[in-house]
Amino acid sequence: MAFSRSADPHLTLRRIERQHALIEQLRWQRGVPKSALALAHALEVTARTVERDIAQMRESGIPIRVQRGPGGGYLLDVRARLDPISLEPDEVAALIVALVALGPTATDSARTSMHKLTRALLPPV
């Protein structure tokens, strides 16, 4: 699947914000599948938009599982707590730029991530 790239930066930013909100919705429902229709309602978009976003994120490697059948939907396959990870300064910079595009205060997780990442770049005291 080719990723759609919009020439309109506002559309791109809206997609980034929507996909972040989608991940947050799935994370909050950890272990409980959520239908495209329920996600669409929560995000105020169409179910088709949710399905397109999820397909794009799954192709990017985000561990979203599809559970078919009655009571099915989408699940985010992640642990509640993660082991510490080691990042190089250029990797931290890439994440900071992504957070700036999203809006470093768009959500609590964006805000705390930005704080941790910028703190990690500071020289030791």
Side-chain angles (χ1 to χ4, degrees):
M1 171 180 174
F3 295 123
S4 61
R5 304 269 186 231
S6 172
D8 184 343
H10 297 291
L11 292 177
T12 300
L13 183 56
R14 281 201 339 234
R15 186 182 71 246
I16 291 167
E17 291 170 338
R18 187 179 62 244
Q19 288 179 350
H20 177 70
L22 183 55
I23 288 172
E24 288 293 291
Q25 284 285 319
L26 292 171
R27 191 177 60 79
W28 293 329
Q29 296 294 317
R30 196 168 28 108
V32 178
K34 200 153 187 184
S35 71
L37 195 55
L39 290 164
H41 179 71
L43 300 176
E44 299 178 349
V45 296
T46 66
R48 180 66 187 123
T49 297
V50 167
E51 291 165 352
R52 244 190 331 266
D53 283 346
I54 286 178
Q56 183 181 33
M57 291 188 297
R58 289 182 75 204
E59 187 172 306
S60 297
I62 297 173
I64 298 172
R65 193 165 35 101
V66 179
Q67 185 173 316
R68 306 228 183 264
Y74 298 104
L75 297 154
L76 186 60
D77 259 345
V78 295
R79 297 180 281 172
R81 299 277 300 154
L82 303 178
D83 295 332
I85 57 174
S86 178
L87 298 172
E88 297 297 322
D90 58 334
E91 294 168 324
V92 171
L95 293 172
I96 288 172
V97 168
L99 280 169
V100 167
L102 170 66
T105 60
T107 63
D108 287 340
S109 58
R111 187 176 11 271
T112 59
S113 296
M114 181 62 94
H115 178 72
K116 289 176 183 179
L117 290 168
T118 54
R119 194 175 62 214
L121 286 177
L122 296 174
V125 198

